Amino acid sequence: MPKGSLSVMSEAFRALKPQVFIPSSVLIIGLIVFSVVFSATAEGAFAELNKAITSGVGWWYILVTTGFVLFAIYCGASRIGTIRLGADDEEPEFTFIAWLAMLFSAGMGIGLVFYGVAEPLTHYVDPPASLGVDGATAPAANQALSLTLFHWGLHAWAIYVVVGLGMAYMTYRRQRPLSVRWLLEPLIGKNRVEGPIGHAVDVVAVVGTLFGVATSLGFGITQIGAGLQYLGWIELDNTWTLVLIAVITAMATFSVVSGVAKGMQWLSNINMALAAALALFVIALGPTLFLLQAWVQNLGGYAQALPQLSLRTGPFSDGSWLGSWTIFYWGWWISWAPFVGMFIARISRGRTIREFVTTVLLVPTVIGSLWFTIFGDSAILRQRTDGDMVVDGAVDSNTSLFQLLSTLPWPTITGVAAVLVIMFFFITSSDSGSLVIDILCSGGDLDPPKATRVYWSVLEGVAAAVLLLVGGAGSLTALQTASIATAAPFSLVMVAACVAMLRAFRYDLATTPRLLHVTAPDLPASHRRHDVSATMAGLVAVRTITPADWEIHPATGELSISEPIDPLADGEVTPGADPSQEQCPTEEAR
């Protein structure tokens, strides 16, 4: 091996944290081998595990996920929201649009494409019996979107807020490594965080992340292949499966090696543009007015159903629907929280906590509601009028998007666009997942070695390929359940992280001085504004200022403070002036 390659490899291994890298690799490879060699046994074992999770800790998932929503809202709405994720005068690292595109692509972009048609249509055809709505009816259509938005809205993104906010704060505000373990430092102390407890937390995060990305890659390959086959371009077989996995893995590897500011940002921006174009196409050439009306109603229906659904555990029903949908989703999102949360933290430097919470919690929820309305309600309307979206009473999630696009003009072009969107979303999920795992295994290094980035990216592709070609769908289902099972211990870590972060935030607020701008109004008392209390009237006016309001001259160190801009300043009377008196020019002006 050339000397240069040896030095690169040695540098990569020196940067690794063996207490995390070795156990994670052994567990991942061992579970892959087990799932392949004992495919039928693994499928049965993990199916039983899934039932045990649903009946045993499903109530816990529902309780803590709603608690995460309340935690996120509290942090954003209270004084905690004024804390900046970085130095007080630090500017955001990425533009708002680039930031939004990356967090959305890494978070749920791929799921929106896959289930934008399939989930609302499924809830319409086969709604939960315990809610008392018959399938394939108008009430079922309205309820279908409320249930879908519940699964993809505030609760899902609040899970990511907890991990992402805590990691961004500890890394950029308190200068700790970017690693999940440091969320617990305010609660258990630095020594325990750097010991076996911290190693175990990071190992769980690595295993859950890799299995989540690998199983999604595996399912996604079957969906991309099914789409190409639906278009009549290929006959999906093992060769095509390998080709698709190789292409996506190669592009993801190139992207993760190039870094966040280059490959990931470019791919995310391109993908968001393609997804937006596809949505605009459907809304423009589909039932436009109907979709606009449906979107407003869906937002209202979601807001109305939210209190009822948030703590619904179904103790008097069999719970099978909750286990298949709500509990499954909450476990799935929690298992992905280390991956998505860390990636969001990585790209959120310089944002305030209020900006972080508001954007991460609300913007994707609103965009998701629009997406599901466009695709989900279009499919439901098509099924109600033509009845050709459901085959033998079931919804095919692999091809339902392509079925809908085939009912609109230029189905081949839009079908290709849909395949590209799916592929790019997989690439951005894979490369960001590989980067997150590498950061965890490198002790929180924000710029881990490229060699280990390649290792994790390739391992994800190999895992998906082996499972698909050897173990089949049973192995993927088993590992998906294993990934969800990691949510049980990690949910405890997240609850502890909420307590720890509240301690850290309160200390930050208590010890960080508030900056006030004090002025002495020089207006006559009769014209003085009434936004200062009576005790302070005639003395001083005080307002809190943020780092964005001041500037320090680099040479002289002089502090200058920008005044608020009055939106009514142009052509308006100056505050304190008498509008009944015209301003007469002076003798000098004449």
Side-chain angles (χ1 to χ4, degrees), residues 46 49 88 135 170 225 248 254 325 381 453:
F46 285 116
L49 177 61
D88 286 336
M170 293 300 292
I248 290 180
F254 173 77
W325 290 101
L381 180 63
R453 296 188 205 182

Side-chain angles (χ1 to χ4, degrees), residues 65 68 154-164 330 333-334 337 494:
T65 303
F68 295 150
L154 297 178
H155 282 69
W157 286 94
I159 292 170
Y160 297 154
V161 165
V162 171
V163 178
W330 289 179
W333 301 146
I334 291 172
M494 291 180 66

Side-chain angles (χ1 to χ4, degrees), residues 32-64:
I32 291 172
V33 171
F34 171 76
S35 298
V36 171
V37 175
F38 304 101
S39 178
T41 305
E43 184 177 3
F46 285 116
E48 290 301 316
L49 177 61
N50 192 31
K51 290 181 183 177
I53 292 172
T54 301
S55 59
V57 298
W59 64 272
W60 168 252
Y61 283 178
I62 290 173
L63 178 65
V64 297

